[in-house]
Amino acid sequence: MQTLRAIILAIAASNISLYQLDIAIGRLEGGISPDMLVFPRPVLQYIQSHPICLTSLCLSVSPRNRIRPNGELVGDLLGFITLFPGLQRLSIEFNYRDEREHFPVISQKLRLPGLRFLGIGAVRCTEDELVTLLLSHKDSLEEVSFALVDIISEGGSWQSLLATMRDNLSIRVMTMDDCLSADKDIYYRESESDDAAYLKSFEISGLRQDWTDAINGITIGRHGSRHG
């Protein structure tokens, strides 16, 4: 914890510009806890008065490794992210899948005016929560990546989410990796005559028709039944 704080403070003091900062201490139990991102007030004031020019931030978070109360974790995480107001690329992944403990608040409160790339990993959420987060960055967002994201039962659908993205955002590239719908695998059918193949990794780029084809081709299968 002290090492991380010292690094951030040194970056602020040096007044250098950084392209990317990756914060991920191991995996699973070794992931960083948001309370490790809390700075003493004098240090925080110094950093805020010496803004860090950072383009890309990747956070691998393990909420179970915590000291502070659970309700304060999202505030700790968002407070750290907003130390870098010029962020253009942000990736947040949870080492334990977030079971709607933290992501709903993140979707409501995270705001980065220049964000161009957003990556979300290992969360269970609703379509509305994803839409809220995406539309809050519609003026700048160009690329989105979902990994191990599960839209919960009665929480909307991937087809509806993709339609909203197609109609309301200017996304050049959208990728999905190992995503689920209510704990069920997602499949994709190129045409009505083709068999549906398990959608492990998928990308949509640019053209409206590509989005429409993806929306029409997605189907939901039973969890664990993968063909093709």
Side-chain angles (χ1 to χ4, degrees):
M1 186 184 303
Q2 295 298 329
T3 301
L4 176 60
R5 290 173 179 170
I7 291 172
I8 299 299
L9 185 58
I11 293 171
S14 67
N15 198 32
I16 62 174
S17 297
L18 293 179
Y19 176 73
Q20 182 163 313
L21 179 62
D22 295 340
I23 301 178
I25 304 175
R27 293 285 179 180
L28 298 176
E29 291 84 356
I32 194 166
S33 170
D35 49 34
M36 297 179 184
L37 305 177
V38 179
F39 292 83
R41 182 172 295 276
V43 175
L44 182 61
Q45 290 174 339
Y46 180 85
I47 294 173
Q48 290 172 335
S49 65
H50 297 75
I52 297 174
C53 183
L54 178 67
T55 300
S56 178
L57 177 64
C58 302
L59 293 173
S60 182
V61 183
S62 184
R64 296 185 184 183
N65 295 345
R66 62 177 183 264
I67 300 172
R68 289 154 63 82
N70 191 54
E72 299 180 15
L73 292 182
V74 174
D76 295 340
L77 183 62
L78 294 175
F80 180 78
I81 292 171
T82 55
L83 290 177
F84 314 104
L87 276 179
Q88 297 179 25
R89 301 177 63 86
L90 174 65
S91 296
I92 304 174
E93 68 169 16
F94 291 87
N95 284 338
Y96 291 96
R97 186 171 70 171
D98 183 64
E99 301 286 344
R100 309 203 64 241
E101 294 180 272
H102 307 98
F103 187 74
V105 180
I106 291 173
S107 71
Q108 290 287 335
K109 294 188 175 182
L110 179 62
R111 300 293 182 269
L112 293 166
L115 192 66
R116 298 172 58 191
F117 169 88
L118 176 64
I120 300 295
V123 300
R124 297 187 77 233
C125 59
T126 66
E127 175 192 340
D128 284 347
E129 288 161 359
L130 291 172
V131 167
T132 296
L133 182 56
L134 295 172
L135 292 185
S136 296
H137 299 91
K138 65 178 296 184
D139 292 337
S140 59
L141 201 59
E142 299 176 351
E143 187 174 351
V144 177
S145 175
F146 300 116
L148 297 170
V149 173
D150 182 12
I151 293 181
I152 63 173
S153 178
E154 308 299 327
S157 70
W158 283 102
Q159 294 95 325
S160 177
L161 174 65
L162 296 184
T164 298
M165 294 174 68
R166 177 196 63 190
D167 296 339
N168 296 279
L169 296 166
S170 300
I171 302 297
R172 294 189 297 104
V173 179
M174 191 280 297
T175 58
M176 295 170 56
D177 293 293
D178 292 310
C179 291
L180 299 168
S181 178
D183 278 326
K184 295 179 181 178
D185 292 325
I186 302 174
Y187 292 80
Y188 183 74
R189 180 181 286 109
E190 291 281 355
S191 66
E192 291 186 3
S193 61
D194 293 333
D195 292 332
Y198 169 57
L199 193 64
K200 179 176 177 60
S201 183
F202 187 67
E203 177 178 303
I204 306 174
S205 55
L207 298 177
R208 181 180 179 86
Q209 187 59 47
D210 293 337
W211 288 84
T212 301
D213 290 344
I215 293 164
N216 293 335
I218 285 178
T219 60
I220 308 302
R222 293 183 302 170
H223 180 62
S225 61
R226 303 179 180 183
H227 306 285

